Structure formats: C-alpha cells, structure tokens
Amino acid sequence: IKNTNTHSLGSLAQATTALIERARDGKLSLDEMSGSTFTISNVGMYKVTSFTPIINAPEAAILGVNTIEKVLALVDGEVREKRVMTLSLTFDHRIVDGAEASLFLLTLVDLLENPLKLLI
C-alpha cells in the first residue's frame, strides 16, 4: 500500500483488504507489486514461533509476525498464563540505524499491546 502515512486507520484497513483479495485472485498490477520499502510477512497461522524473514531488495526492512502461543510468565509476583506473539524485524543497516529499528519495534509492540493508542 503506497503512501500509508496519508491513510486513516479505516482506509488503511480497506486498502489492505482489497489488496489481499486481488493478490489471492492473482489480479495484482505490476505497480502494486513494486516500489515498496517495507514488507510484513505473517506465518503465524502456520504455528511458526520464530523465523528470520529475508529483505526483498531494494526494501529497507521486513517484519515477521509469528504465532500467538500460551506461556507461563511471572506477573506481579505470580505465575500466570499469558498469550505471547513474537515479532522478527530484519532491516538493511545501510538504510536503517539499528537503534532506530529497535525503537520502531518497541513502538509497534506498545501499539499492539495498547491498540486504543491508535485512536488518539
């Protein structure tokens, strides 16, 4: 999706749905398959718990989304069951500074854990 920074959350969701449908139907245009800078690869539906996605040149980065799994974790001094999803970020150090990529990932995690922040 081009110019994502100009989309509202709703229009981004609509554009994503339309793009996915065209991809599944084999009807993507060449323009829709080129010129990107970032890819999201979701293999979570296949129960993959961790993977290292490979950057699609000449993109700057790719985000790998893994499955959600139940784990035992220490929460406020008590062992509790939690649902955890891991993310894998691969980026080109020639384009993106590692500290900035880490801050991006921290921000993404915060938004996924607190989705109401997207509406503010």
Side-chain angles (χ1 to χ4, degrees):
I1 299 170
K2 298 187 189 305
N3 304 310
T4 56
N5 61 320
T6 64
H7 287 266
S8 69
L9 190 56
S11 71
L12 189 57
Q14 288 176 341
T16 301
T17 300
L19 192 64
I20 290 168
E21 286 177 18
R22 285 194 303 283
R24 287 184 178 149
D25 293 340
K27 296 181 179 177
L28 287 177
S29 69
L30 182 58
D31 182 57
E32 290 173 314
M33 293 188 289
S34 62
S36 59
T37 57
F38 189 87
T39 292
I40 300 172
S41 180
N42 179 7
V43 295
M45 69 286 252
Y46 301 113
K47 306 288 185 202
V48 175
T49 58
S50 178
F51 78 112
T52 304
I54 304 298
I55 301 170
N56 300 308
E59 293 184 354
I62 183 168
L63 178 72
V65 179
N66 300 291
T67 196
I68 298 171
E69 35 182 7
K70 293 179 182 178
V71 298
L72 295 178
L74 193 60
V75 180
D76 298 326
E78 295 182 24
V79 176
R80 296 198 182 152
E81 182 179 272
K82 289 181 67 175
R83 294 166 56 93
V84 176
M85 178 184 72
T86 57
L87 301 171
S88 307
L89 181 64
T90 305
F91 54 94
D92 186 336
H93 280 275
R94 297 170 297 176
I95 301 170
V96 180
D97 179 80
E100 293 296 322
S102 297
L103 289 174
F104 165 77
L105 199 52
L106 283 173
T107 301
L108 179 59
V109 167
D110 182 49
L111 291 172
L112 289 171
E113 291 177 344
N114 305 286
L116 291 179
K117 287 185 177 181
L118 290 168
L119 301 176
I120 297 174

PDB file of all heavy atoms in Angstrom, residues 1 3-19 115 118-120:
ATOM      1  N   ILE A   1       0.861  -1.164   0.000  1.00  0.00           N
ATOM      2  CA  ILE A   1       0.000   0.000   0.000  1.00  0.00           C
ATOM      3  C   ILE A   1       0.904   1.222   0.000  1.00  0.00           C
ATOM      4  O   ILE A   1       1.744   1.373   0.883  1.00  0.00           O
ATOM      5  CB  ILE A   1      -0.927  -0.014   1.225  1.00  0.00           C
ATOM      6  CG1 ILE A   1      -1.799  -1.265   1.177  1.00  0.00           C
ATOM      7  CG2 ILE A   1      -1.762   1.256   1.283  1.00  0.00           C
ATOM      8  CD1 ILE A   1      -2.575  -1.523   2.418  1.00  0.00           C
ATOM      9  N   ASN A   3       1.964   5.214   0.202  1.00  0.00           N
ATOM     10  CA  ASN A   3       1.610   6.418   0.973  1.00  0.00           C
ATOM     11  C   ASN A   3       0.747   6.104   2.192  1.00  0.00           C
ATOM     12  O   ASN A   3      -0.251   6.772   2.454  1.00  0.00           O
ATOM     13  CB  ASN A   3       0.922   7.444   0.072  1.00  0.00           C
ATOM     14  CG  ASN A   3       1.774   7.810  -1.120  1.00  0.00           C
ATOM     15  OD1 ASN A   3       2.947   8.129  -0.970  1.00  0.00           O
ATOM     16  ND2 ASN A   3       1.211   7.729  -2.305  1.00  0.00           N
ATOM     17  N   THR A   4       1.150   5.096   2.950  1.00  0.00           N
ATOM     18  CA  THR A   4       0.354   4.688   4.111  1.00  0.00           C
ATOM     19  C   THR A   4       0.216   5.813   5.128  1.00  0.00           C
ATOM     20  O   THR A   4      -0.774   5.852   5.861  1.00  0.00           O
ATOM     21  CB  THR A   4       0.966   3.462   4.806  1.00  0.00           C
ATOM     22  OG1 THR A   4       2.321   3.747   5.157  1.00  0.00           O
ATOM     23  CG2 THR A   4       0.901   2.246   3.912  1.00  0.00           C
ATOM     24  N   ASN A   5       1.171   6.720   5.154  1.00  0.00           N
ATOM     25  CA  ASN A   5       1.100   7.820   6.117  1.00  0.00           C
ATOM     26  C   ASN A   5      -0.059   8.777   5.835  1.00  0.00           C
ATOM     27  O   ASN A   5      -0.416   9.578   6.691  1.00  0.00           O
ATOM     28  CB  ASN A   5       2.421   8.598   6.136  1.00  0.00           C
ATOM     29  CG  ASN A   5       2.748   9.214   4.795  1.00  0.00           C
ATOM     30  OD1 ASN A   5       2.539   8.597   3.753  1.00  0.00           O
ATOM     31  ND2 ASN A   5       3.283  10.418   4.800  1.00  0.00           N
ATOM     32  N   THR A   6      -0.665   8.686   4.668  1.00  0.00           N
ATOM     33  CA  THR A   6      -1.788   9.564   4.341  1.00  0.00           C
ATOM     34  C   THR A   6      -3.139   8.894   4.603  1.00  0.00           C
ATOM     35  O   THR A   6      -4.172   9.525   4.431  1.00  0.00           O
ATOM     36  CB  THR A   6      -1.728  10.007   2.864  1.00  0.00           C
ATOM     37  OG1 THR A   6      -1.874   8.850   2.020  1.00  0.00           O
ATOM     38  CG2 THR A   6      -0.419  10.709   2.550  1.00  0.00           C
ATOM     39  N   HIS A   7      -3.124   7.631   5.015  1.00  0.00           N
ATOM     40  CA  HIS A   7      -4.362   6.890   5.255  1.00  0.00           C
ATOM     41  C   HIS A   7      -4.808   7.007   6.708  1.00  0.00           C
ATOM     42  O   HIS A   7      -3.979   7.061   7.614  1.00  0.00           O
ATOM     43  CB  HIS A   7      -4.160   5.386   4.966  1.00  0.00           C
ATOM     44  CG  HIS A   7      -4.052   5.052   3.518  1.00  0.00           C
ATOM     45  ND1 HIS A   7      -5.127   4.667   2.775  1.00  0.00           N
ATOM     46  CD2 HIS A   7      -2.988   5.035   2.686  1.00  0.00           C
ATOM     47  CE1 HIS A   7      -4.741   4.405   1.536  1.00  0.00           C
ATOM     48  NE2 HIS A   7      -3.438   4.632   1.452  1.00  0.00           N
ATOM     49  N   SER A   8      -6.118   6.998   6.900  1.00  0.00           N
ATOM     50  CA  SER A   8      -6.646   6.807   8.248  1.00  0.00           C
ATOM     51  C   SER A   8      -6.578   5.313   8.537  1.00  0.00           C
ATOM     52  O   SER A   8      -6.356   4.501   7.622  1.00  0.00           O
ATOM     53  CB  SER A   8      -8.098   7.290   8.330  1.00  0.00           C
ATOM     54  OG  SER A   8      -8.944   6.430   7.566  1.00  0.00           O
ATOM     55  N   LEU A   9      -6.806   4.932   9.768  1.00  0.00           N
ATOM     56  CA  LEU A   9      -6.782   3.518  10.117  1.00  0.00           C
ATOM     57  C   LEU A   9      -7.848   2.757   9.330  1.00  0.00           C
ATOM     58  O   LEU A   9      -7.606   1.669   8.817  1.00  0.00           O
ATOM     59  CB  LEU A   9      -6.978   3.345  11.627  1.00  0.00           C
ATOM     60  CG  LEU A   9      -6.743   1.958  12.192  1.00  0.00           C
ATOM     61  CD1 LEU A   9      -5.353   1.455  11.862  1.00  0.00           C
ATOM     62  CD2 LEU A   9      -6.962   1.957  13.702  1.00  0.00           C
ATOM     63  N   GLY A  10      -9.023   3.349   9.196  1.00  0.00           N
ATOM     64  CA  GLY A  10     -10.117   2.713   8.446  1.00  0.00           C
ATOM     65  C   GLY A  10      -9.801   2.542   6.971  1.00  0.00           C
ATOM     66  O   GLY A  10     -10.037   1.485   6.392  1.00  0.00           O
ATOM     67  N   SER A  11      -9.259   3.590   6.349  1.00  0.00           N
ATOM     68  CA  SER A  11      -8.960   3.480   4.916  1.00  0.00           C
ATOM     69  C   SER A  11      -7.783   2.540   4.672  1.00  0.00           C
ATOM     70  O   SER A  11      -7.725   1.869   3.640  1.00  0.00           O
ATOM     71  CB  SER A  11      -8.703   4.852   4.293  1.00  0.00           C
ATOM     72  OG  SER A  11      -7.477   5.392   4.712  1.00  0.00           O
ATOM     73  N   LEU A  12      -6.861   2.471   5.620  1.00  0.00           N
ATOM     74  CA  LEU A  12      -5.752   1.532   5.510  1.00  0.00           C
ATOM     75  C   LEU A  12      -6.270   0.093   5.580  1.00  0.00           C
ATOM     76  O   LEU A  12      -5.833  -0.765   4.807  1.00  0.00           O
ATOM     77  CB  LEU A  12      -4.729   1.787   6.608  1.00  0.00           C
ATOM     78  CG  LEU A  12      -3.409   1.032   6.522  1.00  0.00           C
ATOM     79  CD1 LEU A  12      -2.695   1.306   5.211  1.00  0.00           C
ATOM     80  CD2 LEU A  12      -2.513   1.414   7.689  1.00  0.00           C
ATOM     81  N   ALA A  13      -7.211  -0.164   6.477  1.00  0.00           N
ATOM     82  CA  ALA A  13      -7.815  -1.499   6.582  1.00  0.00           C
ATOM     83  C   ALA A  13      -8.540  -1.863   5.291  1.00  0.00           C
ATOM     84  O   ALA A  13      -8.429  -2.998   4.803  1.00  0.00           O
ATOM     85  CB  ALA A  13      -8.768  -1.555   7.771  1.00  0.00           C
ATOM     86  N   GLN A  14      -9.278  -0.919   4.711  1.00  0.00           N
ATOM     87  CA  GLN A  14      -9.990  -1.173   3.451  1.00  0.00           C
ATOM     88  C   GLN A  14      -9.007  -1.446   2.310  1.00  0.00           C
ATOM     89  O   GLN A  14      -9.204  -2.375   1.517  1.00  0.00           O
ATOM     90  CB  GLN A  14     -10.880   0.013   3.092  1.00  0.00           C
ATOM     91  CG  GLN A  14     -12.092   0.143   3.975  1.00  0.00           C
ATOM     92  CD  GLN A  14     -12.898   1.400   3.653  1.00  0.00           C
ATOM     93  OE1 GLN A  14     -12.393   2.349   3.037  1.00  0.00           O
ATOM     94  NE2 GLN A  14     -14.144   1.408   4.075  1.00  0.00           N
ATOM     95  N   ALA A  15      -7.963  -0.650   2.234  1.00  0.00           N
ATOM     96  CA  ALA A  15      -6.964  -0.831   1.172  1.00  0.00           C
ATOM     97  C   ALA A  15      -6.262  -2.173   1.314  1.00  0.00           C
ATOM     98  O   ALA A  15      -6.004  -2.860   0.319  1.00  0.00           O
ATOM     99  CB  ALA A  15      -5.953   0.319   1.201  1.00  0.00           C
ATOM    100  N   THR A  16      -5.977  -2.560   2.555  1.00  0.00           N
ATOM    101  CA  THR A  16      -5.324  -3.849   2.811  1.00  0.00           C
ATOM    102  C   THR A  16      -6.221  -4.999   2.378  1.00  0.00           C
ATOM    103  O   THR A  16      -5.769  -5.931   1.705  1.00  0.00           O
ATOM    104  CB  THR A  16      -4.963  -3.981   4.305  1.00  0.00           C
ATOM    105  OG1 THR A  16      -4.091  -2.915   4.662  1.00  0.00           O
ATOM    106  CG2 THR A  16      -4.296  -5.312   4.596  1.00  0.00           C
ATOM    107  N   THR A  17      -7.483  -4.940   2.748  1.00  0.00           N
ATOM    108  CA  THR A  17      -8.440  -5.995   2.382  1.00  0.00           C
ATOM    109  C   THR A  17      -8.555  -6.127   0.862  1.00  0.00           C
ATOM    110  O   THR A  17      -8.512  -7.233   0.323  1.00  0.00           O
ATOM    111  CB  THR A  17      -9.822  -5.703   2.999  1.00  0.00           C
ATOM    112  OG1 THR A  17      -9.683  -5.661   4.419  1.00  0.00           O
ATOM    113  CG2 THR A  17     -10.831  -6.774   2.620  1.00  0.00           C
ATOM    114  N   ALA A  18      -8.656  -4.995   0.183  1.00  0.00           N
ATOM    115  CA  ALA A  18      -8.760  -5.019  -1.280  1.00  0.00           C
ATOM    116  C   ALA A  18      -7.496  -5.580  -1.918  1.00  0.00           C
ATOM    117  O   ALA A  18      -7.570  -6.382  -2.866  1.00  0.00           O
ATOM    118  CB  ALA A  18      -9.044  -3.613  -1.802  1.00  0.00           C
ATOM    119  N   LEU A  19      -6.346  -5.206  -1.398  1.00  0.00           N
ATOM    120  CA  LEU A  19      -5.069  -5.687  -1.934  1.00  0.00           C
ATOM    121  C   LEU A  19      -4.931  -7.195  -1.725  1.00  0.00           C
ATOM    122  O   LEU A  19      -4.503  -7.926  -2.634  1.00  0.00           O
ATOM    123  CB  LEU A  19      -3.914  -4.943  -1.272  1.00  0.00           C
ATOM    124  CG  LEU A  19      -2.539  -5.090  -1.885  1.00  0.00           C
ATOM    125  CD1 LEU A  19      -2.512  -4.510  -3.292  1.00  0.00           C
ATOM    126  CD2 LEU A  19      -1.513  -4.393  -1.020  1.00  0.00           C
ATOM    127  N   PRO A 115      -3.953  -1.066  21.797  1.00  0.00           N
ATOM    128  CA  PRO A 115      -4.481  -0.614  20.494  1.00  0.00           C
ATOM    129  C   PRO A 115      -5.308   0.666  20.550  1.00  0.00           C
ATOM    130  O   PRO A 115      -5.439   1.349  19.531  1.00  0.00           O
ATOM    131  CB  PRO A 115      -5.330  -1.803  20.029  1.00  0.00           C
ATOM    132  CG  PRO A 115      -5.614  -2.588  21.243  1.00  0.00           C
ATOM    133  CD  PRO A 115      -4.464  -2.376  22.172  1.00  0.00           C
ATOM    134  N   LEU A 118      -3.974   3.907  19.033  1.00  0.00           N
ATOM    135  CA  LEU A 118      -4.097   4.191  17.611  1.00  0.00           C
ATOM    136  C   LEU A 118      -5.244   5.165  17.334  1.00  0.00           C
ATOM    137  O   LEU A 118      -5.272   5.815  16.294  1.00  0.00           O
ATOM    138  CB  LEU A 118      -4.318   2.905  16.815  1.00  0.00           C
ATOM    139  CG  LEU A 118      -3.120   1.970  16.737  1.00  0.00           C
ATOM    140  CD1 LEU A 118      -3.542   0.615  16.177  1.00  0.00           C
ATOM    141  CD2 LEU A 118      -2.026   2.598  15.897  1.00  0.00           C
ATOM    142  N   LEU A 119      -6.173   5.243  18.245  1.00  0.00           N
ATOM    143  CA  LEU A 119      -7.339   6.107  18.035  1.00  0.00           C
ATOM    144  C   LEU A 119      -7.128   7.512  18.591  1.00  0.00           C
ATOM    145  O   LEU A 119      -7.940   8.399  18.353  1.00  0.00           O
ATOM    146  CB  LEU A 119      -8.566   5.473  18.698  1.00  0.00           C
ATOM    147  CG  LEU A 119      -8.928   4.074  18.188  1.00  0.00           C
ATOM    148  CD1 LEU A 119     -10.086   3.510  18.976  1.00  0.00           C
ATOM    149  CD2 LEU A 119      -9.243   4.100  16.701  1.00  0.00           C
ATOM    150  N   ILE A 120      -6.059   7.695  19.337  1.00  0.00           N
ATOM    151  CA  ILE A 120      -5.805   9.016  19.944  1.00  0.00           C
ATOM    152  C   ILE A 120      -5.189   9.961  18.946  1.00  0.00           C
ATOM    153  O   ILE A 120      -4.382   9.642  18.161  1.00  0.00           O
ATOM    154  CB  ILE A 120      -4.887   8.859  21.196  1.00  0.00           C
ATOM    155  CG1 ILE A 120      -5.596   8.026  22.238  1.00  0.00           C
ATOM    156  CG2 ILE A 120      -4.494  10.205  21.743  1.00  0.00           C
ATOM    157  CD1 ILE A 120      -4.735   7.683  23.439  1.00  0.00           C
TER     158      ILE A 120
END
